Amino acid sequence: MNILTLLLFLIGIAYGGLTVLAGGFQLKEKKINFWASLLMIIGGILTVISIIINFILEKNTIYLLIVGIALIYAAAINNGYKMYGKINAKHHIVRICISILIITLYMVK
């Protein structure tokens, strides 16, 4: 295992796992639509599953990873509109940078 694989595993699992937790808290608080919370949870789970399958079985799951990240991002945009009436540009720049990092690590590892 090389350092890029380890970085992908740690960052990908953390990002997906924290997204699942955030979606769970949002379900409980009911500040956003049920479907948006569910979308975040599903996106986080798909991200974690794709990283684990790739790490353990060494299977190519890039499409699963991209779908998971896209679901997370779609839910985050909706949540920003729902809770604040606008998109927080800094928040989404950080999200897109993390997403690009994860996908890039996946492709080059």
Side-chain angles (χ1 to χ4, degrees):
M1 171 182 2
N2 64 32
I3 189 71
L4 295 179
T5 303
L6 183 59
L7 277 173
L8 170 64
F9 185 80
L10 294 174
I11 295 169
I13 297 296
Y15 185 67
L18 290 172
T19 301
V20 171
L21 287 175
F25 287 129
Q26 290 171 350
L27 274 176
K28 184 178 177 182
E29 293 178 11
K30 299 179 183 178
K31 289 184 179 179
I32 61 170
N33 296 328
F34 173 80
W35 67 266
S37 297
L38 198 57
L39 205 62
M40 283 197 84
I41 292 169
I42 292 169
I45 289 170
L46 290 177
T47 300
V48 169
I49 288 172
S50 73
I51 298 293
I52 290 173
I53 288 173
N54 181 261
F55 187 76
I56 294 173
L57 302 177
E58 297 181 6
K59 301 282 184 181
N60 185 356
T61 56
I62 188 71
Y63 297 118
L64 186 63
L65 177 64
I66 291 171
V67 168
I69 288 173
L71 292 176
I72 291 168
Y73 203 76
I77 289 172
N78 176 74
N79 296 348
Y81 275 124
K82 177 72 175 173
M83 294 190 320
Y84 307 110
K86 63 179 181 168
I87 292 179
N88 182 339
K90 290 178 185 176
H91 174 80
H92 290 287
I93 289 170
V94 170
R95 274 190 178 277
I96 199 75
C97 287
I98 293 170
S99 298
I100 289 169
L101 175 64
I102 291 170
I103 292 169
T104 302
L105 284 171
Y106 187 97
M107 293 172 62
V108 299
K109 59 146 189 59

